[in-house]
Amino acid sequence: MKKILFTFVLLVAAMTGTAQIESGFRSGFSISGSINSMTNLDSDKMMFGYRLGYTLDYNFSELFYLGSGLETTLKGTAFDDETTPLRYYNLQLPVNVGGRIPLGKKNTYLFAQAGPYVSYALFTTKYNIFGYGEIEGERFDWGLGVKAGVEFKDIQIHLGYDCGLAKVWKYALDDNVRNNSFYFGMSFMF
């Protein structure tokens, strides 16, 4: 019981600190490197990609916010027996609910956010399979994403994961071929 009471007191103390982030809109730019793969492909191996985008947050308070934006991403996979990877150049829209915990220093926070995303492939590479000719993946993707990191005044250092829920390659024998993406990067807010 003492541990629960102590934890509650610490949370209340953290929430009653002076607000450093004002309520309302805040925007910025984000850049990240990513490691991508697809689930349930036998010859699948990881492929490096990127994420570049515009970030928009609506702060309800210093501690809670709604995060969104518009990103261009490179997702896909590489194959063991081929030199040409299957690539998706996507336009992605995440909608996340997030929270911040202030750290001891002024304007320094731990943050985490999670929520759905929708994505549309503006360009895809075609993949040539003997006997089938050229094939390409599905353009529409959606899934769930999480992101966490540290914020120092107007700079965020973050890492995240996107778990695709849509089948993105109709030619696969398994119906569960979906995008996975781990990423690490920085955001500059203003």
Side-chain angles (χ1 to χ4, degrees):
M1 183 68 177
K2 288 181 183 180
K3 289 180 183 179
I4 294 171
L5 183 60
F6 181 72
T7 304
F8 179 75
V9 169
L10 284 178
L11 284 173
V12 169
M15 288 187 209
T16 57
T18 59
Q20 302 298 324
I21 295 178
E22 296 180 17
S23 296
F25 286 103
R26 190 170 77 144
S27 62
F29 292 97
S30 180
I31 182 169
S32 303
S34 63
I35 300 172
N36 306 288
S37 67
M38 290 184 178
T39 58
N40 299 320
L41 284 179
D42 293 337
S43 59
D44 174 53
K45 63 181 184 180
M46 289 185 259
M47 182 187 84
F48 292 100
Y50 65 84
R51 303 167 76 94
L52 299 170
Y54 175 73
T55 301
L56 181 65
D57 291 348
Y58 182 79
N59 297 302
F60 297 105
S61 70
E62 177 188 20
L63 303 178
F64 299 103
Y65 65 96
L66 182 66
S68 189
L70 192 59
E71 302 173 318
T72 58
T73 66
L74 171 59
K75 294 183 178 182
T77 190
F79 297 99
D80 291 334
D81 57 349
E82 296 290 330
T83 57
T84 304
L86 184 61
R87 292 187 176 129
Y88 296 85
Y89 297 90
N90 294 356
L91 198 56
Q92 185 164 307
L93 176 71
V95 179
N96 297 312
V97 175
R100 294 182 190 92
I101 298 172
L103 297 177
K105 296 183 179 183
K106 185 176 178 181
N107 294 326
T108 304
Y109 302 89
L110 288 177
F111 71 91
Q113 62 186 38
Y117 72 86
V118 293
S119 179
Y120 183 77
L122 300 173
F123 307 102
T124 63
T125 56
K126 294 183 178 173
Y127 190 70
N128 194 359
I129 295 181
F130 182 73
Y132 289 97
E134 285 188 342
I135 61 173
E136 63 182 323
E138 297 293 321
R139 291 189 178 269
F140 182 71
D141 185 20
W142 61 278
L144 297 173
V146 295
K147 182 166 110 174
V150 179
E151 182 173 333
F152 307 97
K153 196 169 180 175
D154 295 329
I155 297 174
Q156 295 177 343
I157 298 172
H158 59 261
L159 63 99
Y161 174 68
D162 284 345
C163 176
L165 298 175
K167 181 179 176 181
V168 293
W169 206 30
K170 65 183 176 185
Y171 303 98
L173 298 175
D174 191 330
D175 283 344
N176 294 316
V177 176
R178 300 173 192 327
N179 277 321
N180 287 317
S181 181
F182 290 95
Y183 58 94
F184 176 82
M186 294 180 72
S187 297
F188 305 95
M189 307 300 286
F190 48 88

mmCIF file with all atom_site columns, all heavy atoms in Angstrom, residues 10 13 21 31-32 39 48 77 79 85 92 95 112 120-121 124 157 162-163 167 169 173 177 185 187:
data_model
loop_
_atom_site.group_PDB
_atom_site.id
_atom_site.type_symbol
_atom_site.label_atom_id
_atom_site.label_alt_id
_atom_site.label_comp_id
_atom_site.label_asym_id
_atom_site.label_entity_id
_atom_site.label_seq_id
_atom_site.pdbx_PDB_ins_code
_atom_site.Cartn_x
_atom_site.Cartn_y
_atom_site.Cartn_z
_atom_site.occupancy
_atom_site.B_iso_or_equiv
_atom_site.pdbx_formal_charge
_atom_site.auth_seq_id
_atom_site.auth_comp_id
_atom_site.auth_asym_id
_atom_site.auth_atom_id
_atom_site.pdbx_PDB_model_num
ATOM 1   N N   . LEU A 1 10  ? 4.018  10.836  -6.431  1.00 0.00 ? 10  LEU A N   1
ATOM 2   C CA  . LEU A 1 10  ? 4.970  11.231  -7.470  1.00 0.00 ? 10  LEU A CA  1
ATOM 3   C C   . LEU A 1 10  ? 4.256  11.659  -8.752  1.00 0.00 ? 10  LEU A C   1
ATOM 4   O O   . LEU A 1 10  ? 4.642  12.647  -9.387  1.00 0.00 ? 10  LEU A O   1
ATOM 5   C CB  . LEU A 1 10  ? 5.943  10.096  -7.776  1.00 0.00 ? 10  LEU A CB  1
ATOM 6   C CG  . LEU A 1 10  ? 7.051  9.865   -6.756  1.00 0.00 ? 10  LEU A CG  1
ATOM 7   C CD1 . LEU A 1 10  ? 7.901  8.665   -7.166  1.00 0.00 ? 10  LEU A CD1 1
ATOM 8   C CD2 . LEU A 1 10  ? 7.918  11.097  -6.611  1.00 0.00 ? 10  LEU A CD2 1
ATOM 9   N N   . ALA A 1 13  ? 2.673  15.073  -8.197  1.00 0.00 ? 13  ALA A N   1
ATOM 10  C CA  . ALA A 1 13  ? 3.718  16.099  -8.178  1.00 0.00 ? 13  ALA A CA  1
ATOM 11  C C   . ALA A 1 13  ? 4.204  16.404  -9.590  1.00 0.00 ? 13  ALA A C   1
ATOM 12  O O   . ALA A 1 13  ? 4.432  17.567  -9.937  1.00 0.00 ? 13  ALA A O   1
ATOM 13  C CB  . ALA A 1 13  ? 4.879  15.645  -7.291  1.00 0.00 ? 13  ALA A CB  1
ATOM 14  N N   . ILE A 1 21  ? 4.885  23.470  -21.981 1.00 0.00 ? 21  ILE A N   1
ATOM 15  C CA  . ILE A 1 21  ? 4.309  23.375  -23.313 1.00 0.00 ? 21  ILE A CA  1
ATOM 16  C C   . ILE A 1 21  ? 2.897  23.926  -23.241 1.00 0.00 ? 21  ILE A C   1
ATOM 17  O O   . ILE A 1 21  ? 2.081  23.473  -22.457 1.00 0.00 ? 21  ILE A O   1
ATOM 18  C CB  . ILE A 1 21  ? 4.305  21.906  -23.794 1.00 0.00 ? 21  ILE A CB  1
ATOM 19  C CG1 . ILE A 1 21  ? 5.737  21.421  -23.951 1.00 0.00 ? 21  ILE A CG1 1
ATOM 20  C CG2 . ILE A 1 21  ? 3.544  21.780  -25.104 1.00 0.00 ? 21  ILE A CG2 1
ATOM 21  C CD1 . ILE A 1 21  ? 5.866  19.988  -24.361 1.00 0.00 ? 21  ILE A CD1 1
ATOM 22  N N   . ILE A 1 31  ? 12.538 13.576  -39.419 1.00 0.00 ? 31  ILE A N   1
ATOM 23  C CA  . ILE A 1 31  ? 13.359 12.755  -40.311 1.00 0.00 ? 31  ILE A CA  1
ATOM 24  C C   . ILE A 1 31  ? 13.782 11.506  -39.545 1.00 0.00 ? 31  ILE A C   1
ATOM 25  O O   . ILE A 1 31  ? 14.184 11.593  -38.387 1.00 0.00 ? 31  ILE A O   1
ATOM 26  C CB  . ILE A 1 31  ? 14.588 13.540  -40.843 1.00 0.00 ? 31  ILE A CB  1
ATOM 27  C CG1 . ILE A 1 31  ? 15.382 12.668  -41.810 1.00 0.00 ? 31  ILE A CG1 1
ATOM 28  C CG2 . ILE A 1 31  ? 15.451 14.059  -39.719 1.00 0.00 ? 31  ILE A CG2 1
ATOM 29  C CD1 . ILE A 1 31  ? 16.440 13.436  -42.581 1.00 0.00 ? 31  ILE A CD1 1
ATOM 30  N N   . SER A 1 32  ? 13.640 10.349  -40.189 1.00 0.00 ? 32  SER A N   1
ATOM 31  C CA  . SER A 1 32  ? 13.967 9.081   -39.534 1.00 0.00 ? 32  SER A CA  1
ATOM 32  C C   . SER A 1 32  ? 14.532 8.092   -40.549 1.00 0.00 ? 32  SER A C   1
ATOM 33  O O   . SER A 1 32  ? 14.183 8.131   -41.723 1.00 0.00 ? 32  SER A O   1
ATOM 34  C CB  . SER A 1 32  ? 12.717 8.442   -38.912 1.00 0.00 ? 32  SER A CB  1
ATOM 35  O OG  . SER A 1 32  ? 12.104 9.298   -37.993 1.00 0.00 ? 32  SER A OG  1
ATOM 36  N N   . THR A 1 39  ? 5.897  -9.584  -43.068 1.00 0.00 ? 39  THR A N   1
ATOM 37  C CA  . THR A 1 39  ? 5.666  -10.821 -42.323 1.00 0.00 ? 39  THR A CA  1
ATOM 38  C C   . THR A 1 39  ? 5.333  -11.964 -43.273 1.00 0.00 ? 39  THR A C   1
ATOM 39  O O   . THR A 1 39  ? 4.770  -11.749 -44.344 1.00 0.00 ? 39  THR A O   1
ATOM 40  C CB  . THR A 1 39  ? 4.497  -10.651 -41.336 1.00 0.00 ? 39  THR A CB  1
ATOM 41  O OG1 . THR A 1 39  ? 3.328  -10.282 -42.080 1.00 0.00 ? 39  THR A OG1 1
ATOM 42  C CG2 . THR A 1 39  ? 4.794  -9.595  -40.299 1.00 0.00 ? 39  THR A CG2 1
ATOM 43  N N   . PHE A 1 48  ? 16.500 -1.258  -45.677 1.00 0.00 ? 48  PHE A N   1
ATOM 44  C CA  . PHE A 1 48  ? 16.581 0.062   -45.063 1.00 0.00 ? 48  PHE A CA  1
ATOM 45  C C   . PHE A 1 48  ? 15.729 1.051   -45.849 1.00 0.00 ? 48  PHE A C   1
ATOM 46  O O   . PHE A 1 48  ? 15.641 0.981   -47.066 1.00 0.00 ? 48  PHE A O   1
ATOM 47  C CB  . PHE A 1 48  ? 18.038 0.541   -44.988 1.00 0.00 ? 48  PHE A CB  1
ATOM 48  C CG  . PHE A 1 48  ? 18.859 -0.255  -44.035 1.00 0.00 ? 48  PHE A CG  1
ATOM 49  C CD1 . PHE A 1 48  ? 19.706 -1.252  -44.484 1.00 0.00 ? 48  PHE A CD1 1
ATOM 50  C CD2 . PHE A 1 48  ? 18.756 -0.020  -42.672 1.00 0.00 ? 48  PHE A CD2 1
ATOM 51  C CE1 . PHE A 1 48  ? 20.445 -2.000  -43.598 1.00 0.00 ? 48  PHE A CE1 1
ATOM 52  C CE2 . PHE A 1 48  ? 19.499 -0.774  -41.773 1.00 0.00 ? 48  PHE A CE2 1
ATOM 53  C CZ  . PHE A 1 48  ? 20.340 -1.771  -42.245 1.00 0.00 ? 48  PHE A CZ  1
ATOM 54  N N   . THR A 1 77  ? 10.613 -4.747  -48.830 1.00 0.00 ? 77  THR A N   1
ATOM 55  C CA  . THR A 1 77  ? 11.419 -5.883  -48.407 1.00 0.00 ? 77  THR A CA  1
ATOM 56  C C   . THR A 1 77  ? 12.428 -6.227  -49.483 1.00 0.00 ? 77  THR A C   1
ATOM 57  O O   . THR A 1 77  ? 12.284 -5.833  -50.633 1.00 0.00 ? 77  THR A O   1
ATOM 58  C CB  . THR A 1 77  ? 10.517 -7.099  -48.101 1.00 0.00 ? 77  THR A CB  1
ATOM 59  O OG1 . THR A 1 77  ? 11.307 -8.107  -47.485 1.00 0.00 ? 77  THR A OG1 1
ATOM 60  C CG2 . THR A 1 77  ? 9.875  -7.655  -49.356 1.00 0.00 ? 77  THR A CG2 1
ATOM 61  N N   . PHE A 1 79  ? 14.772 -9.647  -51.049 1.00 0.00 ? 79  PHE A N   1
ATOM 62  C CA  . PHE A 1 79  ? 14.691 -11.099 -51.145 1.00 0.00 ? 79  PHE A CA  1
ATOM 63  C C   . PHE A 1 79  ? 16.076 -11.704 -51.199 1.00 0.00 ? 79  PHE A C   1
ATOM 64  O O   . PHE A 1 79  ? 17.004 -11.122 -51.746 1.00 0.00 ? 79  PHE A O   1
ATOM 65  C CB  . PHE A 1 79  ? 13.887 -11.511 -52.384 1.00 0.00 ? 79  PHE A CB  1
ATOM 66  C CG  . PHE A 1 79  ? 12.464 -11.051 -52.337 1.00 0.00 ? 79  PHE A CG  1
ATOM 67  C CD1 . PHE A 1 79  ? 12.074 -9.912  -53.012 1.00 0.00 ? 79  PHE A CD1 1
ATOM 68  C CD2 . PHE A 1 79  ? 11.524 -11.745 -51.608 1.00 0.00 ? 79  PHE A CD2 1
ATOM 69  C CE1 . PHE A 1 79  ? 10.757 -9.481  -52.969 1.00 0.00 ? 79  PHE A CE1 1
ATOM 70  C CE2 . PHE A 1 79  ? 10.198 -11.322 -51.551 1.00 0.00 ? 79  PHE A CE2 1
ATOM 71  C CZ  . PHE A 1 79  ? 9.823  -10.190 -52.237 1.00 0.00 ? 79  PHE A CZ  1
ATOM 72  N N   . PRO A 1 85  ? 14.897 -5.191  -54.630 1.00 0.00 ? 85  PRO A N   1
ATOM 73  C CA  . PRO A 1 85  ? 13.914 -5.265  -53.538 1.00 0.00 ? 85  PRO A CA  1
ATOM 74  C C   . PRO A 1 85  ? 12.536 -4.805  -53.998 1.00 0.00 ? 85  PRO A C   1
ATOM 75  O O   . PRO A 1 85  ? 12.400 -4.119  -55.009 1.00 0.00 ? 85  PRO A O   1
ATOM 76  C CB  . PRO A 1 85  ? 14.492 -4.325  -52.486 1.00 0.00 ? 85  PRO A CB  1
ATOM 77  C CG  . PRO A 1 85  ? 15.345 -3.384  -53.235 1.00 0.00 ? 85  PRO A CG  1
ATOM 78  C CD  . PRO A 1 85  ? 15.834 -4.090  -54.454 1.00 0.00 ? 85  PRO A CD  1
ATOM 79  N N   . GLN A 1 92  ? 1.968  8.747   -45.870 1.00 0.00 ? 92  GLN A N   1
ATOM 80  C CA  . GLN A 1 92  ? 1.381  8.144   -44.670 1.00 0.00 ? 92  GLN A CA  1
ATOM 81  C C   . GLN A 1 92  ? 0.831  9.204   -43.724 1.00 0.00 ? 92  GLN A C   1
ATOM 82  O O   . GLN A 1 92  ? 1.467  10.218  -43.491 1.00 0.00 ? 92  GLN A O   1
ATOM 83  C CB  . GLN A 1 92  ? 2.443  7.307   -43.959 1.00 0.00 ? 92  GLN A CB  1
ATOM 84  C CG  . GLN A 1 92  ? 1.926  6.542   -42.767 1.00 0.00 ? 92  GLN A CG  1
ATOM 85  C CD  . GLN A 1 92  ? 2.882  5.455   -42.347 1.00 0.00 ? 92  GLN A CD  1
ATOM 86  O OE1 . GLN A 1 92  ? 3.282  4.626   -43.146 1.00 0.00 ? 92  GLN A OE1 1
ATOM 87  N NE2 . GLN A 1 92  ? 3.259  5.466   -41.089 1.00 0.00 ? 92  GLN A NE2 1
ATOM 88  N N   . VAL A 1 95  ? -2.484 9.080   -36.852 1.00 0.00 ? 95  VAL A N   1
ATOM 89  C CA  . VAL A 1 95  ? -3.299 9.818   -35.880 1.00 0.00 ? 95  VAL A CA  1
ATOM 90  C C   . VAL A 1 95  ? -3.065 9.156   -34.528 1.00 0.00 ? 95  VAL A C   1
ATOM 91  O O   . VAL A 1 95  ? -3.519 8.039   -34.294 1.00 0.00 ? 95  VAL A O   1
ATOM 92  C CB  . VAL A 1 95  ? -4.800 9.802   -36.243 1.00 0.00 ? 95  VAL A CB  1
ATOM 93  C CG1 . VAL A 1 95  ? -5.599 10.552  -35.189 1.00 0.00 ? 95  VAL A CG1 1
ATOM 94  C CG2 . VAL A 1 95  ? -5.026 10.390  -37.623 1.00 0.00 ? 95  VAL A CG2 1
ATOM 95  N N   . ALA A 1 112 ? 5.353  9.408   -25.214 1.00 0.00 ? 112 ALA A N   1
ATOM 96  C CA  . ALA A 1 112 ? 4.947  8.191   -25.918 1.00 0.00 ? 112 ALA A CA  1
ATOM 97  C C   . ALA A 1 112 ? 3.607  8.465   -26.578 1.00 0.00 ? 112 ALA A C   1
ATOM 98  O O   . ALA A 1 112 ? 2.783  9.219   -26.050 1.00 0.00 ? 112 ALA A O   1
ATOM 99  C CB  . ALA A 1 112 ? 4.840  7.017   -24.953 1.00 0.00 ? 112 ALA A CB  1
ATOM 100 N N   . TYR A 1 120 ? -0.726 5.295   -48.471 1.00 0.00 ? 120 TYR A N   1
ATOM 101 C CA  . TYR A 1 120 ? -0.982 5.019   -49.879 1.00 0.00 ? 120 TYR A CA  1
ATOM 102 C C   . TYR A 1 120 ? 0.341  5.077   -50.629 1.00 0.00 ? 120 TYR A C   1
ATOM 103 O O   . TYR A 1 120 ? 1.097  6.043   -50.494 1.00 0.00 ? 120 TYR A O   1
ATOM 104 C CB  . TYR A 1 120 ? -1.961 6.035   -50.477 1.00 0.00 ? 120 TYR A CB  1
ATOM 105 C CG  . TYR A 1 120 ? -2.291 5.726   -51.904 1.00 0.00 ? 120 TYR A CG  1
ATOM 106 C CD1 . TYR A 1 120 ? -3.186 4.712   -52.228 1.00 0.00 ? 120 TYR A CD1 1
ATOM 107 C CD2 . TYR A 1 120 ? -1.697 6.431   -52.943 1.00 0.00 ? 120 TYR A CD2 1
ATOM 108 C CE1 . TYR A 1 120 ? -3.485 4.411   -53.540 1.00 0.00 ? 120 TYR A CE1 1
ATOM 109 C CE2 . TYR A 1 120 ? -1.987 6.142   -54.263 1.00 0.00 ? 120 TYR A CE2 1
ATOM 110 C CZ  . TYR A 1 120 ? -2.873 5.131   -54.556 1.00 0.00 ? 120 TYR A CZ  1
ATOM 111 O OH  . TYR A 1 120 ? -3.157 4.822   -55.864 1.00 0.00 ? 120 TYR A OH  1
ATOM 112 N N   . ALA A 1 121 ? 0.622  4.047   -51.415 1.00 0.00 ? 121 ALA A N   1
ATOM 113 C CA  . ALA A 1 121 ? 1.873  3.976   -52.181 1.00 0.00 ? 121 ALA A CA  1
ATOM 114 C C   . ALA A 1 121 ? 1.744  4.824   -53.439 1.00 0.00 ? 121 ALA A C   1
ATOM 115 O O   . ALA A 1 121 ? 0.950  4.500   -54.328 1.00 0.00 ? 121 ALA A O   1
ATOM 116 C CB  . ALA A 1 121 ? 2.199  2.539   -52.526 1.00 0.00 ? 121 ALA A CB  1
ATOM 117 N N   . THR A 1 124 ? 5.457  2.181   -56.677 1.00 0.00 ? 124 THR A N   1
ATOM 118 C CA  . THR A 1 124 ? 5.927  0.871   -56.230 1.00 0.00 ? 124 THR A CA  1
ATOM 119 C C   . THR A 1 124 ? 6.871  0.325   -57.294 1.00 0.00 ? 124 THR A C   1
ATOM 120 O O   . THR A 1 124 ? 6.758  0.666   -58.469 1.00 0.00 ? 124 THR A O   1
ATOM 121 C CB  . THR A 1 124 ? 4.778  -0.137  -56.038 1.00 0.00 ? 124 THR A CB  1
ATOM 122 O OG1 . THR A 1 124 ? 4.138  -0.359  -57.291 1.00 0.00 ? 124 THR A OG1 1
ATOM 123 C CG2 . THR A 1 124 ? 3.772  0.355   -55.027 1.00 0.00 ? 124 THR A CG2 1
ATOM 124 N N   . ILE A 1 157 ? 13.916 13.267  -29.918 1.00 0.00 ? 157 ILE A N   1
ATOM 125 C CA  . ILE A 1 157 ? 14.641 12.083  -30.398 1.00 0.00 ? 157 ILE A CA  1
ATOM 126 C C   . ILE A 1 157 ? 13.710 10.907  -30.116 1.00 0.00 ? 157 ILE A C   1
ATOM 127 O O   . ILE A 1 157 ? 13.272 10.720  -28.988 1.00 0.00 ? 157 ILE A O   1
ATOM 128 C CB  . ILE A 1 157 ? 15.990 11.919  -29.678 1.00 0.00 ? 157 ILE A CB  1
ATOM 129 C CG1 . ILE A 1 157 ? 16.874 13.130  -29.961 1.00 0.00 ? 157 ILE A CG1 1
ATOM 130 C CG2 . ILE A 1 157 ? 16.672 10.624  -30.114 1.00 0.00 ? 157 ILE A CG2 1
ATOM 131 C CD1 . ILE A 1 157 ? 18.149 13.174  -29.162 1.00 0.00 ? 157 ILE A CD1 1
ATOM 132 N N   . ASP A 1 162 ? 5.795  0.550   -36.683 1.00 0.00 ? 162 ASP A N   1
ATOM 133 C CA  . ASP A 1 162 ? 4.526  0.465   -37.400 1.00 0.00 ? 162 ASP A CA  1
ATOM 134 C C   . ASP A 1 162 ? 4.241  -0.994  -37.703 1.00 0.00 ? 162 ASP A C   1
ATOM 135 O O   . ASP A 1 162 ? 5.091  -1.682  -38.282 1.00 0.00 ? 162 ASP A O   1
ATOM 136 C CB  . ASP A 1 162 ? 4.560  1.238   -38.717 1.00 0.00 ? 162 ASP A CB  1
ATOM 137 C CG  . ASP A 1 162 ? 4.470  2.733   -38.534 1.00 0.00 ? 162 ASP A CG  1
ATOM 138 O OD1 . ASP A 1 162 ? 4.091  3.177   -37.431 1.00 0.00 ? 162 ASP A OD1 1
ATOM 139 O OD2 . ASP A 1 162 ? 4.775  3.460   -39.493 1.00 0.00 ? 162 ASP A OD2 1
ATOM 140 N N   . CYS A 1 163 ? 3.056  -1.447  -37.333 1.00 0.00 ? 163 CYS A N   1
ATOM 141 C CA  . CYS A 1 163 ? 2.613  -2.815  -37.597 1.00 0.00 ? 163 CYS A CA  1
ATOM 142 C C   . CYS A 1 163 ? 1.474  -2.750  -38.608 1.00 0.00 ? 163 CYS A C   1
ATOM 143 O O   . CYS A 1 163 ? 0.369  -2.315  -38.271 1.00 0.00 ? 163 CYS A O   1
ATOM 144 C CB  . CYS A 1 163 ? 2.141  -3.466  -36.295 1.00 0.00 ? 163 CYS A CB  1
ATOM 145 S SG  . CYS A 1 163 ? 1.462  -5.105  -36.528 1.00 0.00 ? 163 CYS A SG  1
ATOM 146 N N   . LYS A 1 167 ? -3.211 -6.576  -46.009 1.00 0.00 ? 167 LYS A N   1
ATOM 147 C CA  . LYS A 1 167 ? -2.425 -7.465  -46.869 1.00 0.00 ? 167 LYS A CA  1
ATOM 148 C C   . LYS A 1 167 ? -1.870 -6.620  -48.018 1.00 0.00 ? 167 LYS A C   1
ATOM 149 O O   . LYS A 1 167 ? -2.624 -6.011  -48.760 1.00 0.00 ? 167 LYS A O   1
ATOM 150 C CB  . LYS A 1 167 ? -3.292 -8.583  -47.416 1.00 0.00 ? 167 LYS A CB  1
ATOM 151 C CG  . LYS A 1 167 ? -2.531 -9.540  -48.290 1.00 0.00 ? 167 LYS A CG  1
ATOM 152 C CD  . LYS A 1 167 ? -3.421 -10.653 -48.802 1.00 0.00 ? 167 LYS A CD  1
ATOM 153 C CE  . LYS A 1 167 ? -2.628 -11.541 -49.747 1.00 0.00 ? 167 LYS A CE  1
ATOM 154 N NZ  . LYS A 1 167 ? -3.446 -12.609 -50.286 1.00 0.00 ? 167 LYS A NZ  1
ATOM 155 N N   . TRP A 1 169 ? 0.589  -7.719  -50.348 1.00 0.00 ? 169 TRP A N   1
ATOM 156 C CA  . TRP A 1 169 ? 1.111  -8.427  -51.517 1.00 0.00 ? 169 TRP A CA  1
ATOM 157 C C   . TRP A 1 169 ? 0.190  -9.585  -51.833 1.00 0.00 ? 169 TRP A C   1
ATOM 158 O O   . TRP A 1 169 ? 0.245  -10.640 -51.224 1.00 0.00 ? 169 TRP A O   1
ATOM 159 C CB  . TRP A 1 169 ? 2.535  -8.910  -51.249 1.00 0.00 ? 169 TRP A CB  1
ATOM 160 C CG  . TRP A 1 169 ? 3.325  -9.069  -52.490 1.00 0.00 ? 169 TRP A CG  1
ATOM 161 C CD1 . TRP A 1 169 ? 3.201  -8.371  -53.646 1.00 0.00 ? 169 TRP A CD1 1
ATOM 162 C CD2 . TRP A 1 169 ? 4.362  -10.019 -52.717 1.00 0.00 ? 169 TRP A CD2 1
ATOM 163 N NE1 . TRP A 1 169 ? 4.109  -8.795  -54.568 1.00 0.00 ? 169 TRP A NE1 1
ATOM 164 C CE2 . TRP A 1 169 ? 4.830  -9.808  -54.021 1.00 0.00 ? 169 TRP A CE2 1
ATOM 165 C CE3 . TRP A 1 169 ? 4.940  -10.997 -51.945 1.00 0.00 ? 169 TRP A CE3 1
ATOM 166 C CZ2 . TRP A 1 169 ? 5.853  -10.567 -54.574 1.00 0.00 ? 169 TRP A CZ2 1
ATOM 167 C CZ3 . TRP A 1 169 ? 5.955  -11.742 -52.490 1.00 0.00 ? 169 TRP A CZ3 1
ATOM 168 C CH2 . TRP A 1 169 ? 6.418  -11.533 -53.791 1.00 0.00 ? 169 TRP A CH2 1
ATOM 169 N N   . LEU A 1 173 ? 1.546  -16.641 -51.108 1.00 0.00 ? 173 LEU A N   1
ATOM 170 C CA  . LEU A 1 173 ? 0.716  -17.789 -50.766 1.00 0.00 ? 173 LEU A CA  1
ATOM 171 C C   . LEU A 1 173 ? 0.034  -17.611 -49.419 1.00 0.00 ? 173 LEU A C   1
ATOM 172 O O   . LEU A 1 173 ? -1.057 -18.102 -49.200 1.00 0.00 ? 173 LEU A O   1
ATOM 173 C CB  . LEU A 1 173 ? 1.578  -19.062 -50.756 1.00 0.00 ? 173 LEU A CB  1
ATOM 174 C CG  . LEU A 1 173 ? 2.218  -19.419 -52.095 1.00 0.00 ? 173 LEU A CG  1
ATOM 175 C CD1 . LEU A 1 173 ? 3.129  -20.623 -51.929 1.00 0.00 ? 173 LEU A CD1 1
ATOM 176 C CD2 . LEU A 1 173 ? 1.158  -19.682 -53.152 1.00 0.00 ? 173 LEU A CD2 1
ATOM 177 N N   . VAL A 1 177 ? 0.690  -11.380 -45.334 1.00 0.00 ? 177 VAL A N   1
ATOM 178 C CA  . VAL A 1 177 ? 1.880  -10.615 -45.715 1.00 0.00 ? 177 VAL A CA  1
ATOM 179 C C   . VAL A 1 177 ? 1.590  -9.140  -45.464 1.00 0.00 ? 177 VAL A C   1
ATOM 180 O O   . VAL A 1 177 ? 0.771  -8.527  -46.135 1.00 0.00 ? 177 VAL A O   1
ATOM 181 C CB  . VAL A 1 177 ? 2.256  -10.863 -47.189 1.00 0.00 ? 177 VAL A CB  1
ATOM 182 C CG1 . VAL A 1 177 ? 3.428  -9.983  -47.584 1.00 0.00 ? 177 VAL A CG1 1
ATOM 183 C CG2 . VAL A 1 177 ? 2.589  -12.320 -47.401 1.00 0.00 ? 177 VAL A CG2 1
ATOM 184 N N   . GLY A 1 185 ? 14.719 8.427   -35.231 1.00 0.00 ? 185 GLY A N   1
ATOM 185 C CA  . GLY A 1 185 ? 14.999 9.708   -35.841 1.00 0.00 ? 185 GLY A CA  1
ATOM 186 C C   . GLY A 1 185 ? 14.813 10.892  -34.919 1.00 0.00 ? 185 GLY A C   1
ATOM 187 O O   . GLY A 1 185 ? 14.793 10.756  -33.693 1.00 0.00 ? 185 GLY A O   1
ATOM 188 N N   . SER A 1 187 ? 12.768 14.956  -34.555 1.00 0.00 ? 187 SER A N   1
ATOM 189 C CA  . SER A 1 187 ? 11.772 15.928  -34.977 1.00 0.00 ? 187 SER A CA  1
ATOM 190 C C   . SER A 1 187 ? 12.196 17.287  -34.462 1.00 0.00 ? 187 SER A C   1
ATOM 191 O O   . SER A 1 187 ? 12.743 17.417  -33.371 1.00 0.00 ? 187 SER A O   1
ATOM 192 C CB  . SER A 1 187 ? 10.382 15.582  -34.405 1.00 0.00 ? 187 SER A CB  1
ATOM 193 O OG  . SER A 1 187 ? 9.948  14.361  -34.888 1.00 0.00 ? 187 SER A OG  1
#
